[in-house]
Amino acid sequence: MTEGRPHFPIEPWALSETGLDHASLAVHESVFALSNGHIGMRGSFEEGEPVVVPGTYLNGFFEERPLPYAEAGYGFPEQGQTVVNVTDGKLIRLLVGDTPLDLDYGEIIDHRRTLDLRRGLLRRSTEWRSPNGRVVTVTSSRLVSLRRRSIAAIEYTVECTDGQGDLYIALQSDLLANEPVDSGSEADDPRAAAALARPLVNEMAVARGQRAVLVHRTKRSRLRMAAGMDHVVDVPDSSTTDIEATDDLARFTLAARLPQGSSVKLVKYLSYGWSSRRSAAALRDQVEGALATAKLASFERLLREQREVLDQHWQHADVEIEGDDELQQAVRVGVFHLLQAGLRAERQPIPAKGLTGPGYDGHTFWDTETYVLPVLTYIAPGAARDALRWRHSTLELARERARVLGLEGAAFPWRTIRGEETSGYWPAGTAAFHINADIADAVVRYHNATEDEEFDRDHGAELLIETARLWASLGHFDDEHGFRIDGVTGPDEYTAVVDNNVYTNLMAQRNLREAIEAVKRQPDVAGRLGVTTEETDRWDRAAALMAVPYDTRRGVHMQSDAFTHHEEWDFEATPPDCYPLLLHYPYFDIYRKQVVKQADLVMALHLRGDAFTPEEKAADFAYYEARTVRDSSLSATQQAVVAAETGHLALAYDYWGEATLTDLQNLHGNSGHGLHLASLAGGWTVAVAGFGGMRDHDGRLTFAPRLPERITRLRFRLNYQGRLLVVTVTPTVATYRVVEGDPLDVHHHGRRVTVTEDEVTAEIPPPPEVAPVHQPYGVAPRRRGRR
């Protein structure tokens, strides 16, 4: 599959396509995907063609597959997990006379699709002339309900507009299981999804009236799912209907005569559910009940509910940008997809692609806690809470993994769907223990921002204690270097299995200290888990003596022991088409050179900025900027935040565009297999943490805002301890206001400010003078139209 670079008209609250761009079809299927965290539907056409990846997904529903190894080793995961393309309910095939509507055939007179960010709706209008000369206008509105977790719906209208008299049409509304999926050219890319052939086995197929239900189970993981559909029909003249259900196909057929200028409207209600324990009959009953209530409510009611949910969330989540309309649109698209991914996930993971495609096999990584949850914590804290409760539900699996590895506490997986480690490459999987500290960091941030005592008691404290126990057993005390954590892989997967990765060590340090505080807050939890004073004393000593490698000759921190002594990578001799490096060079060569896949130590400058001086941040950023190739979409966000903090505002602005437009411009060439949720989160993160300068170290909100040249005004909102804080930044001043809740103390460029319902204004000092920084040859970010 060759993916093009799409182009979308600039609109403040929508994303639209005009005409049919075949080269960008797969990307459009991803960006037009609808989800509520439980159901995900890619933006493929109702008629089924043309299509690249037609996917429909249920969060947490997967199939197992063996992980092959050329040479097995102790502790290697044996089973992989791959998201399943479940029963497709989007299909509504149209026959005009006896000719199927297919946008690859006939003539497209006019076509437009729009993702409405305020209404949570995918709208489509197509005027099409069939090969036999008849013209119809097809309009549709599709939603996946944010209020009703198991419900999706489509309103599909066909109008006869050609002035040639009566028109006979047929609509075939389908539920289709085991739909063929083409993995495309990404099959040679290790990041691509593994293709599964016919993963679903039918257990039940029932149809009556205008309703049908199919129940299937997977062959290996033994998960069971049900999909149901029901219909409401509005026809102007004579019509007939029929319904049938077989193993993998249920079909409702409507044949109708359309007098000139008239239209037929079909409303299709869909319901999905799955379980590892419930019977086929119980799941059938579940989806039929949901269908009945949705149909009773009506499509118009579902539309109103969708708008009400989003109106409420946009009041807390919107970021307003003046001076760059393209970024304004992109940031809102990103926030919209984050809300879709998390609002109704409800104790299921938030995958790296959300539910927008099969990329990365549908796995959840550390991206969720480090990129997505910091945003959701401040714009939709309930969604962040649910995601952390899911992590807690996998705690026993993480404990078992730690025991297999000979460690204490819990060892959370680098990639998973259900909670088991499923990475077949241990240097970047098992050795990436920083996932533990990333989870702890998200727990601490959520607790500080919400003061959710119930969560702390029932979930948070236990997560902090068990992750701290892992560090205490993984590391060891050394008379010369303090507390060392050896043999790990940090965020930079181009430097694997190293000693004392600074990011890992500093995040582990915070983890240990926060676990001590959790023991003090929750003595009953600590008692149940058998925490002793000797244990917490060890945590405290390990945190105090944590090794943080520093190169005194170069005046920079070493990403890990001896990193700055490795041979430099020859960037000038690296052809542009040899990126990403992992697909063109052997790992052993990459591992022993000073080349960085993605922000690693630079991310520590952001997330553990309290551990560095301003001078250290400036020196470290300049050093690693010259060695980071951004072969990962995770990098630009962190580089943007630290660039802004260290005074490189124009560079931060360039990285902001790269992170935010990753999918809308398909910058990595693989957005057709699903969106990069971490990059989408980066649009908000760079606005708030980068140019807003927000930090939340130790549970205190501090701001150090500065704008790049082109942005004339930036406004964002934060939910914090029961308050809604609105921050507005201009080139010279920032204003702070509490819209909901009690007054709040924050810090602005080091000065304490008490914020109330009346705006508080503070001047912005000029940025520090900085020396230029340089990127590796050929990989500088694209400059964005600077004045």
Side-chain angles (χ1 to χ4, degrees):
M1 177 180 66
T2 300
E3 296 181 8
R5 176 167 291 186
H7 173 74
F8 298 100
I10 304 301
E11 304 170 83
W13 284 100
L15 192 69
S16 299
E17 71 173 9
T18 54
L20 185 63
D21 179 4
H22 282 84
S24 300
L25 189 60
V27 180
H28 286 202
E29 291 169 357
S30 295
V31 299
F32 289 140
L34 295 178
S35 174
N36 61 9
H38 172 58
I39 307 168
M41 292 183 168
R42 283 175 60 82
S44 50
F45 294 109
E46 285 87 1
E47 298 80 22
E49 298 289 345
V51 66
V52 181
V53 181
T56 302
Y57 311 104
L58 296 179
N59 197 353
F61 192 84
F62 66 93
E63 179 61 303
E64 293 179 341
R65 55 187 175 85
L67 286 176
Y69 298 99
E71 295 184 19
Y74 176 80
F76 284 14
E78 296 180 358
Q79 298 292 328
Q81 299 168 354
T82 298
V83 66
V84 172
N85 177 34
V86 300
T87 307
D88 190 351
K90 302 185 297 293
L91 296 170
I92 304 175
R93 304 186 191 277
L94 169 64
L95 282 82
V96 179
D98 58 359
T99 304
L101 190 154
D102 183 336
L103 297 186
D104 278 339
Y105 300 96
E107 177 189 353
I108 300 173
I109 300 171
D110 185 66
H111 171 74
R112 181 180 179 88
R113 278 198 301 175
T114 298
L115 180 65
D116 188 325
L117 306 178
R118 284 188 180 275
R119 299 175 67 193
L121 196 65
L122 180 61
R123 293 180 286 123
R124 171 268 188 101
S125 176
T126 302
E127 187 176 7
W128 180 76
R129 179 179 287 110
S130 72
N132 61 21
R134 299 306 304 261
V135 177
V136 293
T137 298
V138 175
T139 58
S140 68
S141 297
R142 182 190 304 176
L143 65 84
V144 174
S145 177
L146 297 170
R147 178 71 57 79
R148 302 166 189 252
R149 186 171 184 256
S150 66
I151 293 297
I154 304 169
E155 183 183 74
Y156 190 93
T157 302
V158 183
E159 182 180 3
C160 176
T161 58
D162 60 6
Q164 298 183 40
D166 292 353
L167 175 65
Y168 288 85
I169 68 164
L171 292 174
Q172 297 172 330
S173 175
D174 292 353
L175 293 174
L176 176 62
N178 289 316
E179 193 171 24
V181 176
D182 181 7
S183 61
S185 62
E186 281 196 346
D188 294 330
D189 188 330
R191 300 168 296 183
L196 292 179
R198 302 188 63 81
L200 299 174
V201 177
N202 181 264
E203 291 189 324
M204 184 180 294
V206 295
R208 63 180 183 274
Q210 297 177 341
R211 180 183 300 172
V213 177
L214 297 180
V215 181
H216 288 82
R217 63 168 173 82
T218 54
K219 299 172 186 176
R220 296 174 61 92
S221 62
R222 309 296 294 180
L223 302 181
R224 179 175 286 116
M225 58 86 52
M229 65 177 178
D230 204 345
H231 303 83
V232 173
V233 176
D234 184 5
V235 294
D237 204 291
S238 59
S239 65
T240 63
T241 63
D242 185 39
I243 195 162
E244 60 179 326
T246 58
D247 285 356
D248 287 344
L249 175 67
R251 172 168 290 170
F252 171 72
T253 302
L254 167 69
R257 182 175 66 188
L258 296 184
Q260 175 59 38
S262 66
S263 62
V264 59
K265 180 169 70 175
L266 175 75
V267 178
K268 182 176 187 177
Y269 298 94
L270 294 162
S271 180
Y272 287 89
W274 74 268
S275 175
S276 60
R277 292 184 290 270
R278 303 186 71 195
S279 68
L283 281 177
R284 179 201 63 195
D285 294 345
Q286 175 185 328
V287 300
E288 286 191 338
L291 284 172
T293 57
K295 187 175 179 179
L296 177 65
S298 79
F299 190 74
E300 289 70 24
R301 176 64 179 267
L302 298 183
L303 289 176
R304 289 197 303 272
E305 291 175 353
Q306 195 84 335
R307 180 64 187 256
E308 289 168 0
V309 170
L310 285 171
D311 280 349
Q312 176 185 358
H313 281 287
W314 280 120
Q315 291 177 9
H316 293 248
D318 191 26
V319 174
E320 300 172 53
I321 302 165
E322 291 183 4
D324 192 328
D325 292 341
E326 183 180 49
L327 275 184
Q328 173 68 89
Q329 178 189 41
V331 169
R332 282 182 174 146
V333 168
V335 171
F336 175 78
H337 277 293
L338 292 186
L339 292 172
Q340 286 202 127
L343 285 183
R344 300 305 305 272
E346 297 180 9
R347 301 187 75 169
Q348 290 294 336
I350 298 178
K353 298 286 189 181
L355 299 177
T356 67
Y360 301 122
D361 285 340
H363 289 166
T364 295
F365 298 77
W366 62 283
D367 312 14
T368 297
E369 282 78 14
T370 302
Y371 289 81
V372 176
L373 295 196
V375 181
L376 292 178
T377 292
Y378 291 112
I379 70 171
R385 184 179 194 265
D386 282 343
L388 291 170
R389 289 175 69 199
W390 169 76
R391 280 291 188 191
H392 183 269
S393 74
T394 70
L395 189 51
E396 192 52 49
L397 292 171
R399 288 187 177 112
E400 175 58 29
R401 181 64 176 164
R403 287 192 288 268
V404 169
L405 298 175
L407 300 169
E408 297 176 6
F412 283 95
W414 185 63
R415 63 185 300 167
T416 190
I417 294 179
R418 187 169 57 189
E420 299 92 342
E421 178 61 75
T422 62
S423 171
Y425 185 62
W426 73 269
T430 297
F433 287 103
H434 65 85
I435 177 66
N436 264 39
D438 300 325
I439 292 169
D441 186 60
V443 168
V444 171
R445 179 179 293 105
Y446 171 79
H447 180 250
N448 288 338
T450 64
E451 298 181 321
D452 186 339
E453 171 66 18
E454 180 183 11
F455 170 82
D456 188 46
R457 181 193 68 232
D458 296 342
H459 306 95
E462 188 171 14
L463 284 169
L464 291 172
I465 289 168
E466 295 292 36
T467 49
R469 282 173 162 165
L470 177 112
W471 299 118
S473 65
L474 182 64
H476 69 281
F477 291 99
D478 176 78
D479 291 340
E480 184 177 355
H481 299 105
F483 189 77
R484 301 176 56 90
I485 303 176
D486 296 333
V488 301
T489 299
D492 172 27
E493 295 153 26
Y494 284 176
T495 312
V497 194
V498 297
D499 298 340
N500 293 318
N501 171 256
V502 168
Y503 174 85
T504 300
N505 284 19
L506 288 177
M507 295 294 283
Q509 181 186 61
R510 173 178 286 170
N511 191 168
L512 292 163
R513 288 172 173 166
E514 292 292 346
I516 295 171
E517 294 303 312
V519 168
K520 295 176 182 177
R521 288 192 309 269
Q522 304 292 345
D524 290 345
V525 175
R528 173 171 61 83
L529 297 176
V531 180
T532 66
T533 301
E534 291 77 14
E535 189 172 17
T536 56
D537 286 348
R538 178 180 170 84
W539 297 351
D540 187 46
R541 182 166 172 252
L545 296 177
M546 187 66 68
V548 182
Y550 187 79
D551 186 330
T552 55
R553 186 169 72 85
R554 295 172 176 82
V556 297
H557 287 88
M558 292 185 276
Q559 182 172 286
S560 53
D561 278 356
F563 179 85
T564 54
H565 302 288
H566 290 182
E567 183 181 356
E568 298 278 5
W569 187 273
D570 189 348
F571 294 109
E572 293 193 11
T574 304
D577 59 358
C578 283
Y579 292 97
L581 299 180
L582 79 161
L583 299 183
H584 299 91
Y585 297 92
Y587 269 123
F588 86 89
D589 199 26
I590 295 173
Y591 286 169
R592 62 194 183 94
K593 302 284 182 63
Q594 287 194 58
V595 57
V596 180
K597 180 181 181 183
Q598 64 201 60
D600 185 310
L601 189 138
V602 168
M603 189 158 63
L605 301 178
H606 171 204
L607 297 181
R608 281 304 318 273
D610 54 332
F612 301 87
T613 67
E615 294 77 17
E616 288 172 338
K617 290 178 183 178
D620 287 347
F621 178 71
Y623 188 85
Y624 288 96
E625 182 71 4
R627 291 158 178 83
T628 302
V629 295
R630 302 193 317 287
D631 277 351
S632 167
S633 61
L634 298 178
S635 197
T637 294
Q638 303 296 342
Q639 288 173 270
V641 170
V642 179
E645 181 178 2
T646 54
H648 300 280
L649 296 176
L651 178 61
Y653 178 61
D654 293 342
Y655 281 139
W656 192 16
E658 182 174 305
T660 308
L661 295 167
T662 287
D663 291 313
L664 294 188
Q665 295 185 358
N666 195 22
L667 298 182
H668 288 258
N670 59 4
S671 295
H673 271 242
L675 302 178
H676 300 76
L677 277 195
S679 282
L680 294 176
W684 186 95
T685 300
V686 179
V688 175
F691 298 116
M694 188 275 282
R695 297 293 184 273
D696 50 12
H697 304 310
D698 300 321
R700 297 181 303 115
L701 282 185
T702 65
F703 298 88
R706 287 192 179 95
L707 295 182
E709 181 183 27
R710 186 171 167 183
I711 304 303
T712 57
R713 180 176 170 271
L714 172 69
R715 173 175 287 175
F716 56 86
R717 297 134 175 91
L718 297 172
N719 291 277
Y720 188 75
Q721 296 181 357
R723 305 165 175 90
L724 177 59
L725 174 67
V726 179
V727 181
T728 305
V729 185
T730 70
T732 57
V733 299
T735 60
Y736 302 88
R737 183 186 174 204
V738 172
V739 176
E740 300 172 5
D742 297 330
L744 175 67
D745 286 341
V746 302
H747 283 76
H748 170 87
H749 282 283
R751 180 168 66 89
R752 180 177 173 179
V753 176
T754 299
V755 185
T756 67
E757 62 182 10
D758 298 320
E759 283 192 347
V760 176
T761 300
E763 292 186 358
I764 296 175
E769 292 187 8
V770 294
V773 297
H774 304 283
Q775 296 76 41
Y777 177 81
V779 298
R782 183 181 56 176
R783 293 170 63 93
R784 294 184 50 78
R786 304 176 195 161
R787 292 186 297 201

